[in-house]
Amino acid sequence: MLRGIVRYTSQNARRLQLTTPTAATSTSIMRLMSTQRKSQDPYPNLDIRHAPQMELETPYPNLPPIPRPNEPLEKKRARLIYQSRKRGILETDLLLSTFAQKYLKEFNMEQLEKYDKLLDEPDWDIFYWATDKKKVPDHLLNNEVLDMVRQHAKNENKVVLRMPDLENGQ
């Protein structure tokens, strides 16, 4: 049985050579591999990994929304229903998916736009605003859709909420 350490013999690591292991070669191989990993990082500078509007000290990113000019009403409604369900945080998923099931069918384009802007906010913020655990920011104070979400979150009839079924096998 042949034992040894594989050593890189060229810059691009295409040719390999088998040598007997020593402490010195093990250390140099580890050093070489760690420098190669660092140099292969496509985003070595953290400043370019995040949106320029985001401060690196924030707990989660708030990336700018994707512009969707001239999106038809029914396509926007379907997208918002899906986005309400697939947020990533179960609490917000449950709250927004049941809200969307109950209200989005009757929303006009202006209400859908306001709801779309609300969905651009971070999940935990939406949840805390809806449950009155956090102060609503100034730019959302006059958002009637957020007021509806807050009312929905109160669940005054004490209905047991569950994730709505997807329609059409989506």
Side-chain angles (χ1 to χ4, degrees), residues 41-86:
D41 187 354
Y43 302 107
N45 182 356
L46 283 179
D47 294 337
I48 61 173
R49 287 184 190 218
H50 303 288
Q53 300 87 352
M54 189 186 103
E55 298 174 18
L56 292 178
E57 288 77 32
T58 59
Y60 39 75
N62 190 9
L63 299 175
I66 298 170
R68 293 180 171 89
N70 305 319
E71 184 176 32
L73 181 73
E74 288 308 313
K75 189 170 185 174
K76 181 182 284 295
R77 184 174 284 124
R79 176 178 59 81
L80 292 175
I81 288 171
Y82 182 81
Q83 285 181 339
S84 299
R85 182 183 176 90
K86 302 291 185 180

Coordinates of all heavy atoms in Angstrom, one line a residue, residues 41-86:
D41 N -12.0 33.0 -4.0 CA -13.2 33.7 -3.6 C -13.6 34.7 -4.6 O -12.9 35.7 -4.8 CB -13.0 34.2 -2.2 CG -14.3 34.8 -1.6 OD1 -15.4 34.8 -2.3 OD2 -14.3 35.2 -0.4
P42 N -14.8 34.6 -5.3 CA -15.2 35.6 -6.2 C -15.5 37.0 -5.6 O -15.5 38.0 -6.3 CB -16.4 35.0 -6.9 CG -16.9 34.1 -5.9 CD -15.8 33.6 -5.1
Y43 N -15.8 37.0 -4.3 CA -16.1 38.3 -3.7 C -15.2 38.5 -2.4 O -15.7 38.4 -1.3 CB -17.6 38.3 -3.2 CG -18.5 38.1 -4.4 CD1 -19.2 36.9 -4.6 CD2 -18.7 39.1 -5.3 CE1 -20.1 36.7 -5.6 CE2 -19.6 38.9 -6.4 CZ -20.2 37.8 -6.5 OH -21.1 37.6 -7.6
P44 N -13.9 38.7 -2.6 CA -13.1 38.8 -1.4 C -13.3 40.0 -0.6 O -13.0 40.1 0.5 CB -11.7 38.8 -2.1 CG -11.9 39.3 -3.4 CD -13.2 38.8 -3.9
N45 N -13.9 41.0 -1.2 CA -14.2 42.3 -0.6 C -15.6 42.3 -0.1 O -16.5 42.2 -0.9 CB -13.9 43.4 -1.5 CG -14.1 44.8 -0.9 OD1 -14.5 44.9 0.3 ND2 -13.8 45.8 -1.6
L46 N -15.9 42.3 1.2 CA -17.2 42.3 1.7 C -18.1 43.4 1.3 O -19.3 43.3 1.2 CB -17.2 42.3 3.3 CG -16.8 40.9 3.9 CD1 -16.8 41.0 5.4 CD2 -17.8 39.8 3.5
D47 N -17.5 44.6 0.9 CA -18.3 45.7 0.5 C -19.0 45.4 -0.8 O -20.1 46.0 -1.1 CB -17.3 46.9 0.2 CG -16.7 47.4 1.5 OD1 -17.3 47.1 2.6 OD2 -15.7 48.1 1.5
I48 N -18.6 44.5 -1.7 CA -19.3 44.2 -2.9 C -20.2 43.0 -2.8 O -20.9 42.7 -3.7 CB -18.3 44.0 -4.1 CG1 -17.4 42.9 -3.9 CG2 -17.6 45.3 -4.4 CD1 -16.5 42.5 -5.1
R49 N -20.2 42.4 -1.6 CA -21.2 41.3 -1.4 C -22.6 41.7 -1.1 O -23.5 41.0 -1.3 CB -20.7 40.4 -0.3 CG -19.5 39.6 -0.6 CD -19.2 38.7 0.6 NE -17.9 38.1 0.4 CZ -17.6 36.8 0.7 NH1 -18.5 36.1 1.3 NH2 -16.4 36.4 0.5
H50 N -22.7 42.9 -0.6 CA -24.0 43.4 -0.2 C -24.5 44.6 -1.0 O -23.7 45.3 -1.6 CB -23.9 43.8 1.3 CG -23.5 42.7 2.2 ND1 -24.3 41.6 2.5 CD2 -22.3 42.4 2.8 CE1 -23.6 40.7 3.2 NE2 -22.4 41.2 3.4
A51 N -25.8 44.9 -1.0 CA -26.3 46.0 -1.7 C -25.7 47.3 -1.0 O -25.4 47.3 0.2 CB -27.8 46.1 -1.5
P52 N -25.4 48.3 -1.8 CA -24.8 49.5 -1.3 C -25.6 50.2 -0.2 O -25.1 50.9 0.6 CB -24.6 50.4 -2.5 CG -25.3 49.8 -3.6 CD -25.6 48.4 -3.2
Q53 N -27.0 50.0 -0.2 CA -27.8 50.6 0.7 C -27.8 50.0 2.1 O -28.2 50.5 3.1 CB -29.3 50.6 0.3 CG -29.5 51.3 -1.0 CD -29.3 50.4 -2.2 OE1 -28.8 49.3 -2.1 NE2 -29.7 50.8 -3.4
M54 N -27.3 48.7 2.1 CA -27.3 48.0 3.4 C -26.1 48.3 4.2 O -25.0 48.3 3.7 CB -27.3 46.5 3.1 CG -27.6 45.7 4.3 SD -27.4 43.9 3.9 CE -25.8 43.6 4.6
E55 N -26.3 48.5 5.5 CA -25.2 48.7 6.4 C -24.7 47.3 6.8 O -25.6 46.5 7.1 CB -25.6 49.5 7.6 CG -26.0 50.9 7.2 CD -26.5 51.7 8.5 OE1 -26.3 51.2 9.6 OE2 -27.2 52.7 8.2
L56 N -23.5 47.0 6.9 CA -23.0 45.7 7.3 C -23.3 45.3 8.7 O -23.3 44.2 9.1 CB -21.5 45.6 7.0 CG -21.1 45.6 5.6 CD1 -19.5 45.6 5.4 CD2 -21.7 44.5 4.8
E57 N -23.6 46.3 9.5 CA -23.9 46.0 10.9 C -25.4 45.6 11.1 O -25.8 45.2 12.2 CB -23.6 47.3 11.8 CG -22.1 47.5 12.0 CD -21.5 48.2 10.8 OE1 -22.2 48.9 10.1 OE2 -20.3 47.9 10.5
T58 N -26.2 45.8 10.1 CA -27.6 45.4 10.2 C -27.8 43.9 10.4 O -27.0 43.1 9.8 CB -28.5 45.9 9.0 OG1 -28.0 45.3 7.9 CG2 -28.5 47.4 8.9
P59 N -28.8 43.4 11.1 CA -28.9 42.0 11.4 C -29.3 41.2 10.1 O -29.1 40.0 10.0 CB -30.0 41.9 12.5 CG -30.7 43.2 12.4 CD -29.7 44.2 11.9
Y60 N -30.0 41.9 9.2 CA -30.4 41.2 8.0 C -30.5 42.2 6.8 O -30.7 43.3 7.1 CB -31.7 40.4 8.1 CG -32.7 41.2 8.9 CD1 -33.4 42.2 8.4 CD2 -33.0 40.8 10.2 CE1 -34.3 42.9 9.2 CE2 -33.9 41.4 11.0 CZ -34.5 42.5 10.5 OH -35.5 43.2 11.3
P61 N -30.2 41.7 5.6 CA -30.2 42.7 4.5 C -31.6 43.1 4.1 O -32.6 42.3 4.2 CB -29.5 41.9 3.4 CG -29.8 40.5 3.7 CD -29.8 40.4 5.2
N62 N -31.7 44.3 3.6 CA -33.0 44.8 3.0 C -32.6 45.2 1.6 O -32.3 46.4 1.4 CB -33.6 45.9 3.9 CG -35.0 46.3 3.4 OD1 -35.6 45.6 2.6 ND2 -35.5 47.4 3.9
L63 N -32.6 44.3 0.7 CA -32.2 44.5 -0.6 C -33.3 45.3 -1.4 O -34.5 45.2 -1.1 CB -31.9 43.2 -1.3 CG -30.8 42.4 -0.7 CD1 -30.7 41.0 -1.4 CD2 -29.5 43.1 -0.7
P64 N -32.9 46.1 -2.4 CA -33.9 46.9 -3.1 C -34.8 45.9 -3.9 O -34.4 44.8 -4.4 CB -33.0 47.7 -4.1 CG -31.7 47.1 -4.1 CD -31.5 46.3 -2.8
P65 N -36.1 46.3 -4.0 CA -37.0 45.4 -4.7 C -36.7 45.3 -6.2 O -36.1 46.2 -6.8 CB -38.4 46.1 -4.5 CG -38.1 47.5 -4.1 CD -36.7 47.5 -3.5
I66 N -37.2 44.2 -6.8 CA -37.0 44.1 -8.3 C -38.1 44.9 -8.9 O -39.3 44.7 -8.6 CB -37.2 42.6 -8.6 CG1 -36.1 41.7 -8.0 CG2 -37.2 42.4 -10.1 CD1 -36.3 40.3 -8.1
P67 N -37.8 45.8 -9.9 CA -38.8 46.5 -10.5 C -39.6 45.7 -11.5 O -39.1 44.8 -12.2 CB -38.0 47.6 -11.3 CG -36.6 47.1 -11.4 CD -36.4 46.1 -10.3
R68 N -40.9 45.8 -11.4 CA -41.8 45.1 -12.3 C -42.8 46.0 -13.0 O -44.0 46.1 -12.6 CB -42.6 44.0 -11.4 CG -41.7 42.9 -10.9 CD -42.5 42.0 -10.1 NE -41.7 40.8 -9.7 CZ -40.9 40.7 -8.6 NH1 -40.9 41.7 -7.8 NH2 -40.2 39.7 -8.4
P69 N -42.3 46.8 -13.9 CA -43.2 47.8 -14.6 C -44.3 47.0 -15.4 O -44.0 46.0 -16.0 CB -42.3 48.6 -15.4 CG -41.1 47.7 -15.7 CD -41.0 46.8 -14.5
N70 N -45.5 47.6 -15.4 CA -46.6 47.1 -16.3 C -46.9 45.6 -16.0 O -47.3 44.9 -16.9 CB -46.2 47.2 -17.8 CG -45.9 48.7 -18.1 OD1 -46.5 49.6 -17.6 ND2 -44.9 48.9 -18.9
E71 N -46.8 45.2 -14.7 CA -47.2 43.8 -14.4 C -48.7 43.7 -14.4 O -49.4 44.5 -13.7 CB -46.6 43.5 -13.0 CG -46.9 42.0 -12.6 CD -46.2 41.7 -11.3 OE1 -46.1 42.6 -10.4 OE2 -45.8 40.5 -11.1
P72 N -49.3 42.8 -15.1 CA -50.8 42.7 -15.1 C -51.3 42.4 -13.7 O -50.7 41.7 -12.9 CB -51.0 41.5 -16.1 CG -49.8 41.3 -16.8 CD -48.7 41.8 -16.0
L73 N -52.5 42.8 -13.5 CA -53.2 42.6 -12.2 C -53.2 41.2 -11.7 O -52.8 40.9 -10.5 CB -54.6 43.2 -12.3 CG -55.4 43.1 -11.0 CD1 -54.9 44.2 -10.0 CD2 -56.9 43.3 -11.2
E74 N -53.6 40.3 -12.5 CA -53.7 38.9 -12.1 C -52.4 38.2 -11.8 O -52.2 37.4 -10.9 CB -54.5 38.0 -13.1 CG -56.0 38.3 -13.1 CD -56.6 38.3 -11.7 OE1 -56.4 37.3 -10.9 OE2 -57.4 39.2 -11.3
K75 N -51.4 38.6 -12.6 CA -50.0 38.1 -12.4 C -49.5 38.6 -11.1 O -48.8 37.9 -10.3 CB -49.1 38.5 -13.6 CG -47.8 37.8 -13.5 CD -47.0 38.0 -14.8 CE -45.7 37.2 -14.8 NZ -45.0 37.2 -16.0
K76 N -49.7 39.9 -10.8 CA -49.2 40.5 -9.6 C -49.9 39.9 -8.4 O -49.3 39.5 -7.4 CB -49.5 42.0 -9.6 CG -49.1 42.7 -8.3 CD -49.4 44.2 -8.3 CE -48.5 45.0 -9.1 NZ -47.1 45.1 -8.8
R77 N -51.2 39.6 -8.5 CA -51.9 39.0 -7.4 C -51.4 37.6 -7.1 O -51.1 37.2 -6.0 CB -53.4 38.9 -7.8 CG -54.3 38.3 -6.7 CD -55.8 38.4 -7.0 NE -56.2 39.8 -6.8 CZ -56.8 40.5 -7.7 NH1 -57.1 40.0 -8.9 NH2 -57.2 41.7 -7.5
A78 N -51.2 36.8 -8.2 CA -50.6 35.5 -8.0 C -49.2 35.5 -7.4 O -48.9 34.7 -6.5 CB -50.6 34.8 -9.4
R79 N -48.4 36.4 -7.8 CA -47.0 36.5 -7.3 C -47.1 36.9 -5.8 O -46.4 36.3 -5.0 CB -46.2 37.6 -8.1 CG -44.9 37.8 -7.5 CD -44.1 38.8 -8.3 NE -44.7 40.1 -8.4 CZ -44.6 41.1 -7.5 NH1 -44.0 40.9 -6.3 NH2 -45.2 42.3 -7.7
L80 N -48.0 37.8 -5.5 CA -48.1 38.2 -4.1 C -48.6 37.1 -3.2 O -48.2 37.0 -2.0 CB -48.9 39.5 -3.9 CG -48.3 40.8 -4.6 CD1 -49.2 41.9 -4.5 CD2 -46.9 41.1 -3.9
I81 N -49.5 36.4 -3.7 CA -50.0 35.2 -2.9 C -48.9 34.2 -2.6 O -48.7 33.8 -1.5 CB -51.2 34.5 -3.6 CG1 -52.4 35.4 -3.6 CG2 -51.5 33.2 -3.0 CD1 -53.6 35.0 -4.4
Y82 N -48.1 34.0 -3.7 CA -47.0 33.1 -3.5 C -45.9 33.7 -2.5 O -45.5 33.0 -1.6 CB -46.3 32.8 -4.8 CG -45.2 31.8 -4.7 CD1 -45.4 30.4 -4.7 CD2 -43.8 32.2 -4.7 CE1 -44.3 29.5 -4.5 CE2 -42.8 31.4 -4.5 CZ -43.1 30.0 -4.5 OH -42.0 29.1 -4.3
Q83 N -45.6 34.9 -2.7 CA -44.6 35.6 -1.8 C -45.1 35.7 -0.4 O -44.3 35.7 0.6 CB -44.2 36.9 -2.3 CG -43.4 36.9 -3.5 CD -43.0 38.3 -4.0 OE1 -43.6 39.3 -3.7 NE2 -41.9 38.4 -4.8
S84 N -46.4 35.7 -0.2 CA -47.0 35.7 1.2 C -46.7 34.4 1.9 O -46.6 34.4 3.1 CB -48.5 36.0 1.1 OG -48.7 37.3 0.5
R85 N -46.7 33.4 1.1 CA -46.6 32.0 1.7 C -45.2 31.6 1.9 O -44.9 30.8 2.8 CB -47.3 31.1 0.7 CG -47.3 29.6 1.2 CD -48.0 28.8 0.1 NE -47.9 27.4 0.5 CZ -48.8 26.8 1.2 NH1 -49.9 27.4 1.6 NH2 -48.7 25.5 1.6
K86 N -44.3 32.1 1.0 CA -42.9 31.6 1.0 C -42.0 32.7 1.5 O -41.1 33.2 0.7 CB -42.5 31.2 -0.4 CG -43.3 30.1 -1.0 CD -43.1 28.8 -0.2 CE -43.9 27.7 -0.9 NZ -43.7 26.4 -0.2

